mmCIF file of all heavy atoms in Angstrom:
data_model
loop_
_atom_site.group_PDB
_atom_site.id
_atom_site.type_symbol
_atom_site.label_atom_id
_atom_site.label_comp_id
_atom_site.label_asym_id
_atom_site.label_seq_id
_atom_site.Cartn_x
_atom_site.Cartn_y
_atom_site.Cartn_z
ATOM 1 N N LEU A 417 -5.816 -10.566 14.548
ATOM 2 C CA LEU A 417 -6.695 -10.005 15.577
ATOM 3 C C LEU A 417 -7.886 -9.271 14.964
ATOM 4 O O LEU A 417 -8.894 -9.056 15.645
ATOM 5 C CB LEU A 417 -5.912 -9.038 16.472
ATOM 6 C CG LEU A 417 -4.737 -9.643 17.251
ATOM 7 C CD1 LEU A 417 -3.979 -8.556 18.000
ATOM 8 C CD2 LEU A 417 -5.234 -10.706 18.232
ATOM 9 N N LEU A 418 -7.776 -8.894 13.692
ATOM 10 C CA LEU A 418 -8.848 -8.159 13.028
ATOM 11 C C LEU A 418 -9.579 -8.964 11.958
ATOM 12 O O LEU A 418 -10.762 -8.718 11.690
ATOM 13 C CB LEU A 418 -8.286 -6.886 12.368
ATOM 14 C CG LEU A 418 -7.689 -5.811 13.271
ATOM 15 C CD1 LEU A 418 -7.133 -4.671 12.413
ATOM 16 C CD2 LEU A 418 -8.725 -5.268 14.248
ATOM 17 N N SER A 419 -8.886 -9.928 11.347
ATOM 18 C CA SER A 419 -9.407 -10.541 10.122
ATOM 19 C C SER A 419 -10.599 -11.470 10.332
ATOM 20 O O SER A 419 -11.261 -11.851 9.363
ATOM 21 C CB SER A 419 -8.291 -11.298 9.388
ATOM 22 O OG SER A 419 -7.725 -12.299 10.207
ATOM 23 N N GLU A 420 -10.894 -11.825 11.577
ATOM 24 C CA GLU A 420 -12.075 -12.669 11.808
ATOM 25 C C GLU A 420 -13.356 -11.879 11.546
ATOM 26 O O GLU A 420 -14.349 -12.440 11.068
ATOM 27 C CB GLU A 420 -12.075 -13.201 13.241
ATOM 28 C CG GLU A 420 -13.240 -14.148 13.528
ATOM 29 C CD GLU A 420 -13.169 -14.771 14.913
ATOM 30 O OE1 GLU A 420 -12.069 -14.789 15.511
ATOM 31 O OE2 GLU A 420 -14.217 -15.232 15.388
ATOM 32 N N ASP A 421 -13.338 -10.597 11.843
ATOM 33 C CA ASP A 421 -14.543 -9.775 11.712
ATOM 34 C C ASP A 421 -14.439 -8.687 10.648
ATOM 35 O O ASP A 421 -15.443 -8.059 10.312
ATOM 36 C CB ASP A 421 -14.882 -9.110 13.050
ATOM 37 C CG ASP A 421 -15.153 -10.134 14.136
ATOM 38 O OD1 ASP A 421 -15.995 -11.017 13.924
ATOM 39 O OD2 ASP A 421 -14.499 -10.047 15.200
ATOM 40 N N PHE A 422 -13.212 -8.447 10.133
ATOM 41 C CA PHE A 422 -13.027 -7.396 9.147
ATOM 42 C C PHE A 422 -12.232 -7.930 7.957
ATOM 43 O O PHE A 422 -11.451 -8.880 8.087
ATOM 44 C CB PHE A 422 -12.280 -6.207 9.767
ATOM 45 C CG PHE A 422 -13.027 -5.543 10.888
ATOM 46 C CD1 PHE A 422 -12.769 -5.876 12.214
ATOM 47 C CD2 PHE A 422 -14.012 -4.606 10.624
ATOM 48 C CE1 PHE A 422 -13.457 -5.284 13.251
ATOM 49 C CE2 PHE A 422 -14.715 -3.999 11.656
ATOM 50 C CZ PHE A 422 -14.439 -4.345 12.965
ATOM 51 N N TYR A 423 -12.457 -7.321 6.818
ATOM 52 C CA TYR A 423 -11.679 -7.597 5.618
ATOM 53 C C TYR A 423 -10.472 -6.673 5.686
ATOM 54 O O TYR A 423 -10.600 -5.460 5.545
ATOM 55 C CB TYR A 423 -12.536 -7.312 4.395
ATOM 56 C CG TYR A 423 -11.943 -7.707 3.067
ATOM 57 C CD1 TYR A 423 -11.194 -8.869 2.908
ATOM 58 C CD2 TYR A 423 -12.151 -6.903 1.940
ATOM 59 C CE1 TYR A 423 -10.675 -9.226 1.683
ATOM 60 C CE2 TYR A 423 -11.648 -7.262 0.705
ATOM 61 C CZ TYR A 423 -10.910 -8.418 0.579
ATOM 62 O OH TYR A 423 -10.396 -8.769 -0.655
ATOM 63 N N VAL A 424 -9.303 -7.237 5.966
ATOM 64 C CA VAL A 424 -8.104 -6.451 6.256
ATOM 65 C C VAL A 424 -7.263 -6.288 4.993
ATOM 66 O O VAL A 424 -6.906 -7.264 4.331
ATOM 67 C CB VAL A 424 -7.268 -7.119 7.362
ATOM 68 C CG1 VAL A 424 -6.029 -6.285 7.674
ATOM 69 C CG2 VAL A 424 -8.108 -7.310 8.629
ATOM 70 N N LEU A 425 -6.932 -5.043 4.675
ATOM 71 C CA LEU A 425 -6.164 -4.710 3.477
ATOM 72 C C LEU A 425 -4.881 -4.003 3.898
ATOM 73 O O LEU A 425 -4.939 -2.919 4.495
ATOM 74 C CB LEU A 425 -6.976 -3.791 2.564
ATOM 75 C CG LEU A 425 -8.418 -4.225 2.287
ATOM 76 C CD1 LEU A 425 -9.215 -3.081 1.699
ATOM 77 C CD2 LEU A 425 -8.437 -5.420 1.358
ATOM 78 N N CYS A 426 -3.734 -4.620 3.623
ATOM 79 C CA CYS A 426 -2.448 -4.029 3.983
ATOM 80 C C CYS A 426 -1.785 -3.459 2.738
ATOM 81 O O CYS A 426 -1.504 -4.192 1.784
ATOM 82 C CB CYS A 426 -1.536 -5.073 4.621
ATOM 83 S SG CYS A 426 -2.096 -5.655 6.237
ATOM 84 N N VAL A 427 -1.538 -2.167 2.747
ATOM 85 C CA VAL A 427 -0.914 -1.504 1.602
ATOM 86 C C VAL A 427 0.608 -1.637 1.690
ATOM 87 O O VAL A 427 1.206 -1.451 2.752
ATOM 88 C CB VAL A 427 -1.315 -0.017 1.557
ATOM 89 C CG1 VAL A 427 -0.485 0.733 0.510
ATOM 90 C CG2 VAL A 427 -2.803 0.117 1.240
ATOM 91 N N SER A 428 1.206 -1.980 0.556
ATOM 92 C CA SER A 428 2.657 -2.028 0.420
ATOM 93 C C SER A 428 3.045 -0.940 -0.583
ATOM 94 O O SER A 428 2.755 -1.046 -1.769
ATOM 95 C CB SER A 428 3.104 -3.407 -0.077
ATOM 96 O OG SER A 428 4.508 -3.531 -0.058
ATOM 97 N N TYR A 429 3.660 0.121 -0.087
ATOM 98 C CA TYR A 429 3.942 1.277 -0.931
ATOM 99 C C TYR A 429 4.917 0.946 -2.055
ATOM 100 O O TYR A 429 5.747 0.037 -1.933
ATOM 101 C CB TYR A 429 4.555 2.412 -0.095
ATOM 102 C CG TYR A 429 3.731 2.885 1.063
ATOM 103 C CD1 TYR A 429 4.311 3.029 2.327
ATOM 104 C CD2 TYR A 429 2.387 3.228 0.929
ATOM 105 C CE1 TYR A 429 3.581 3.491 3.410
ATOM 106 C CE2 TYR A 429 1.644 3.689 2.006
ATOM 107 C CZ TYR A 429 2.240 3.810 3.251
ATOM 108 O OH TYR A 429 1.517 4.261 4.316
ATOM 109 N N ASP A 430 4.847 1.740 -3.111
ATOM 110 C CA ASP A 430 5.880 1.672 -4.146
ATOM 111 C C ASP A 430 7.248 1.840 -3.500
ATOM 112 O O ASP A 430 7.449 2.702 -2.638
ATOM 113 C CB ASP A 430 5.685 2.802 -5.169
ATOM 114 C CG ASP A 430 4.575 2.509 -6.164
ATOM 115 O OD1 ASP A 430 4.546 1.381 -6.690
ATOM 116 O OD2 ASP A 430 3.754 3.397 -6.427
ATOM 117 N N GLY A 431 8.184 0.992 -3.921
ATOM 118 C CA GLY A 431 9.537 1.074 -3.395
ATOM 119 C C GLY A 431 9.767 0.294 -2.122
ATOM 120 O O GLY A 431 10.913 0.112 -1.705
ATOM 121 N N PHE A 432 8.669 -0.191 -1.508
ATOM 122 C CA PHE A 432 8.796 -0.893 -0.230
ATOM 123 C C PHE A 432 8.195 -2.302 -0.282
ATOM 124 O O PHE A 432 7.901 -2.891 0.743
ATOM 125 C CB PHE A 432 8.148 -0.064 0.891
ATOM 126 C CG PHE A 432 8.909 1.203 1.160
ATOM 127 C CD1 PHE A 432 8.657 2.349 0.430
ATOM 128 C CD2 PHE A 432 9.912 1.241 2.113
ATOM 129 C CE1 PHE A 432 9.375 3.516 0.651
ATOM 130 C CE2 PHE A 432 10.642 2.396 2.344
ATOM 131 C CZ PHE A 432 10.371 3.541 1.610
ATOM 132 N N ASP A 433 8.023 -2.819 -1.497
ATOM 133 C CA ASP A 433 7.550 -4.196 -1.671
ATOM 134 C C ASP A 433 8.597 -4.967 -2.464
ATOM 135 O O ASP A 433 8.969 -4.572 -3.575
ATOM 136 C CB ASP A 433 6.206 -4.222 -2.410
ATOM 137 C CG ASP A 433 5.568 -5.596 -2.353
ATOM 138 O OD1 ASP A 433 6.050 -6.509 -3.077
ATOM 139 O OD2 ASP A 433 4.615 -5.789 -1.591
ATOM 140 N N GLU A 434 9.071 -6.065 -1.868
ATOM 141 C CA GLU A 434 10.180 -6.824 -2.467
ATOM 142 C C GLU A 434 9.787 -7.546 -3.747
ATOM 143 O O GLU A 434 10.657 -8.032 -4.489
ATOM 144 C CB GLU A 434 10.752 -7.816 -1.452
ATOM 145 C CG GLU A 434 9.801 -8.936 -1.031
ATOM 146 C CD GLU A 434 8.870 -8.555 0.096
ATOM 147 O OE1 GLU A 434 8.610 -7.351 0.279
ATOM 148 O OE2 GLU A 434 8.386 -9.474 0.790
ATOM 149 N N THR A 435 8.488 -7.638 -4.053
ATOM 150 C CA THR A 435 8.044 -8.330 -5.270
ATOM 151 C C THR A 435 7.969 -7.395 -6.475
ATOM 152 O O THR A 435 7.660 -7.840 -7.582
ATOM 153 C CB THR A 435 6.663 -8.976 -5.064
ATOM 154 O OG1 THR A 435 5.659 -7.957 -4.963
ATOM 155 C CG2 THR A 435 6.641 -9.849 -3.820
ATOM 156 N N GLU A 436 8.221 -6.109 -6.268
ATOM 157 C CA GLU A 436 8.130 -5.135 -7.356
ATOM 158 C C GLU A 436 9.451 -4.388 -7.513
ATOM 159 O O GLU A 436 10.190 -4.222 -6.542
ATOM 160 C CB GLU A 436 7.021 -4.105 -7.075
ATOM 161 C CG GLU A 436 5.633 -4.699 -6.961
ATOM 162 C CD GLU A 436 4.582 -3.627 -6.701
ATOM 163 O OE1 GLU A 436 4.879 -2.671 -5.952
ATOM 164 O OE2 GLU A 436 3.493 -3.741 -7.263
ATOM 165 N N GLU A 437 9.720 -3.930 -8.710
ATOM 166 C CA GLU A 437 10.897 -3.097 -8.961
ATOM 167 C C GLU A 437 10.412 -1.666 -9.175
ATOM 168 O O GLU A 437 10.303 -1.181 -10.294
ATOM 169 C CB GLU A 437 11.678 -3.607 -10.173
ATOM 170 C CG GLU A 437 12.306 -4.979 -9.942
ATOM 171 C CD GLU A 437 13.167 -5.433 -11.099
ATOM 172 O OE1 GLU A 437 13.340 -4.634 -12.062
ATOM 173 O OE2 GLU A 437 13.668 -6.567 -11.058
ATOM 174 N N THR A 438 10.106 -1.009 -8.068
ATOM 175 C CA THR A 438 9.568 0.349 -8.116
ATOM 176 C C THR A 438 10.309 1.219 -7.121
ATOM 177 O O THR A 438 11.074 0.726 -6.282
ATOM 178 C CB THR A 438 8.069 0.359 -7.768
ATOM 179 O OG1 THR A 438 7.899 -0.233 -6.458
ATOM 180 C CG2 THR A 438 7.245 -0.421 -8.781
ATOM 181 N N GLU A 439 10.071 2.515 -7.205
ATOM 182 C CA GLU A 439 10.576 3.451 -6.205
ATOM 183 C C GLU A 439 9.428 4.352 -5.777
ATOM 184 O O GLU A 439 8.521 4.645 -6.563
ATOM 185 C CB GLU A 439 11.741 4.282 -6.757
ATOM 186 C CG GLU A 439 13.010 3.465 -6.935
ATOM 187 C CD GLU A 439 14.218 4.308 -7.298
ATOM 188 O OE1 GLU A 439 14.060 5.211 -8.147
ATOM 189 O OE2 GLU A 439 15.306 4.075 -6.728
ATOM 190 N N PHE A 440 9.465 4.771 -4.524
ATOM 191 C CA PHE A 440 8.415 5.635 -4.008
ATOM 192 C C PHE A 440 8.482 6.968 -4.741
ATOM 193 O O PHE A 440 9.537 7.604 -4.785
ATOM 194 C CB PHE A 440 8.595 5.843 -2.507
ATOM 195 C CG PHE A 440 7.438 6.534 -1.842
ATOM 196 C CD1 PHE A 440 6.396 5.796 -1.287
ATOM 197 C CD2 PHE A 440 7.378 7.924 -1.775
ATOM 198 C CE1 PHE A 440 5.324 6.428 -0.676
ATOM 199 C CE2 PHE A 440 6.308 8.566 -1.169
ATOM 200 C CZ PHE A 440 5.278 7.815 -0.613
ATOM 201 N N PRO A 441 7.336 7.432 -5.314
ATOM 202 C CA PRO A 441 7.362 8.686 -6.070
ATOM 203 C C PRO A 441 7.223 9.913 -5.173
ATOM 204 O O PRO A 441 8.202 10.641 -4.939
ATOM 205 C CB PRO A 441 6.173 8.529 -7.029
ATOM 206 C CG PRO A 441 5.222 7.598 -6.303
ATOM 207 C CD PRO A 441 6.061 6.727 -5.417
ATOM 208 N N ASP A 442 6.037 10.134 -4.637
ATOM 209 C CA ASP A 442 5.734 11.251 -3.738
ATOM 210 C C ASP A 442 4.385 10.960 -3.095
ATOM 211 O O ASP A 442 3.662 10.052 -3.503
ATOM 212 C CB ASP A 442 5.700 12.582 -4.488
ATOM 213 C CG ASP A 442 4.712 12.569 -5.641
ATOM 214 O OD1 ASP A 442 3.501 12.657 -5.388
ATOM 215 O OD2 ASP A 442 5.147 12.441 -6.805
ATOM 216 N N MET A 443 4.017 11.749 -2.092
ATOM 217 C CA MET A 443 2.806 11.470 -1.317
ATOM 218 C C MET A 443 1.535 11.550 -2.165
ATOM 219 O O MET A 443 0.647 10.707 -2.042
ATOM 220 C CB MET A 443 2.712 12.432 -0.136
ATOM 221 C CG MET A 443 3.759 12.210 0.948
ATOM 222 S SD MET A 443 3.553 10.662 1.857
ATOM 223 C CE MET A 443 2.097 11.046 2.851
ATOM 224 N N ILE A 444 1.440 12.562 -3.025
ATOM 225 C CA ILE A 444 0.208 12.728 -3.797
ATOM 226 C C ILE A 444 0.046 11.621 -4.821
ATOM 227 O O ILE A 444 -1.053 11.051 -4.975
ATOM 228 C CB ILE A 444 0.180 14.116 -4.482
ATOM 229 C CG1 ILE A 444 0.139 15.222 -3.439
ATOM 230 C CG2 ILE A 444 -1.021 14.221 -5.418
ATOM 231 C CD1 ILE A 444 -1.064 15.179 -2.518
ATOM 232 N N THR A 445 1.115 11.260 -5.537
ATOM 233 C CA THR A 445 1.034 10.163 -6.506
ATOM 234 C C THR A 445 0.610 8.875 -5.830
ATOM 235 O O THR A 445 -0.233 8.125 -6.342
ATOM 236 C CB THR A 445 2.384 9.965 -7.221
ATOM 237 O OG1 THR A 445 2.750 11.178 -7.889
ATOM 238 C CG2 THR A 445 2.310 8.839 -8.232
ATOM 239 N N GLU A 446 1.170 8.598 -4.648
ATOM 240 C CA GLU A 446 0.822 7.367 -3.929
ATOM 241 C C GLU A 446 -0.603 7.447 -3.385
ATOM 242 O O GLU A 446 -1.324 6.450 -3.356
ATOM 243 C CB GLU A 446 1.821 7.121 -2.800
ATOM 244 C CG GLU A 446 1.925 5.676 -2.365
ATOM 245 C CD GLU A 446 2.693 4.794 -3.351
ATOM 246 O OE1 GLU A 446 3.113 5.268 -4.430
ATOM 247 O OE2 GLU A 446 2.871 3.609 -3.033
ATOM 248 N N THR A 447 -1.033 8.635 -2.967
ATOM 249 C CA THR A 447 -2.408 8.810 -2.504
ATOM 250 C C THR A 447 -3.392 8.503 -3.625
ATOM 251 O O THR A 447 -4.420 7.847 -3.403
ATOM 252 C CB THR A 447 -2.631 10.256 -1.995
ATOM 253 O OG1 THR A 447 -1.755 10.515 -0.902
ATOM 254 C CG2 THR A 447 -4.073 10.458 -1.540
ATOM 255 N N ILE A 448 -3.092 8.967 -4.819
ATOM 256 C CA ILE A 448 -3.962 8.701 -5.972
ATOM 257 C C ILE A 448 -4.065 7.197 -6.228
ATOM 258 O O ILE A 448 -5.148 6.677 -6.529
ATOM 259 C CB ILE A 448 -3.439 9.433 -7.221
ATOM 260 C CG1 ILE A 448 -3.612 10.946 -7.050
ATOM 261 C CG2 ILE A 448 -4.158 8.962 -8.484
ATOM 262 C CD1 ILE A 448 -2.920 11.772 -8.113
ATOM 263 N N LYS A 449 -2.967 6.471 -6.075
ATOM 264 C CA LYS A 449 -2.997 5.014 -6.274
ATOM 265 C C LYS A 449 -3.882 4.340 -5.222
ATOM 266 O O LYS A 449 -4.617 3.397 -5.534
ATOM 267 C CB LYS A 449 -1.579 4.448 -6.230
ATOM 268 C CG LYS A 449 -0.735 4.840 -7.429
ATOM 269 C CD LYS A 449 0.578 4.079 -7.448
ATOM 270 C CE LYS A 449 1.360 4.410 -8.709
ATOM 271 N NZ LYS A 449 2.571 3.575 -8.856
ATOM 272 N N ILE A 450 -3.796 4.808 -3.984
ATOM 273 C CA ILE A 450 -4.660 4.260 -2.929
ATOM 274 C C ILE A 450 -6.119 4.565 -3.244
ATOM 275 O O ILE A 450 -6.996 3.694 -3.122
ATOM 276 C CB ILE A 450 -4.257 4.838 -1.559
ATOM 277 C CG1 ILE A 450 -2.846 4.367 -1.167
ATOM 278 C CG2 ILE A 450 -5.267 4.431 -0.479
ATOM 279 C CD1 ILE A 450 -2.261 5.089 0.036
ATOM 280 N N GLU A 451 -6.402 5.790 -3.664
ATOM 281 C CA GLU A 451 -7.770 6.168 -4.032
ATOM 282 C C GLU A 451 -8.284 5.312 -5.182
ATOM 283 O O GLU A 451 -9.427 4.830 -5.157
ATOM 284 C CB GLU A 451 -7.803 7.645 -4.432
ATOM 285 C CG GLU A 451 -7.565 8.604 -3.276
ATOM 286 C CD GLU A 451 -7.346 10.027 -3.740
ATOM 287 O OE1 GLU A 451 -6.977 10.235 -4.926
ATOM 288 O OE2 GLU A 451 -7.530 10.952 -2.924
#
């Protein structure tokens, strides 16, 4: 519904992506990765 007019970026957090072997650290560490 959005991708025709916008470049859509879906974030998959550490620990919540089945293609990675990670664990969610904390909000600030994850915020820095997004930044």
Side-chain angles (χ1 to χ4, degrees):
L417 299 175
L418 296 177
S419 58
E420 183 175 340
D421 299 307
F422 297 96
Y423 187 38
V424 181
L425 312 165
C426 293
V427 170
S428 187
Y429 303 131
D430 282 314
F432 292 86
D433 192 286
E434 66 275 24
T435 70
E436 298 181 322
E437 294 185 4
T438 57
E439 289 188 317
F440 189 92
D442 56 76
M443 291 292 287
I444 296 300
T445 301
E446 204 75 357
T447 299
I448 291 170
K449 290 189 176 187
I450 294 169
E451 291 169 339

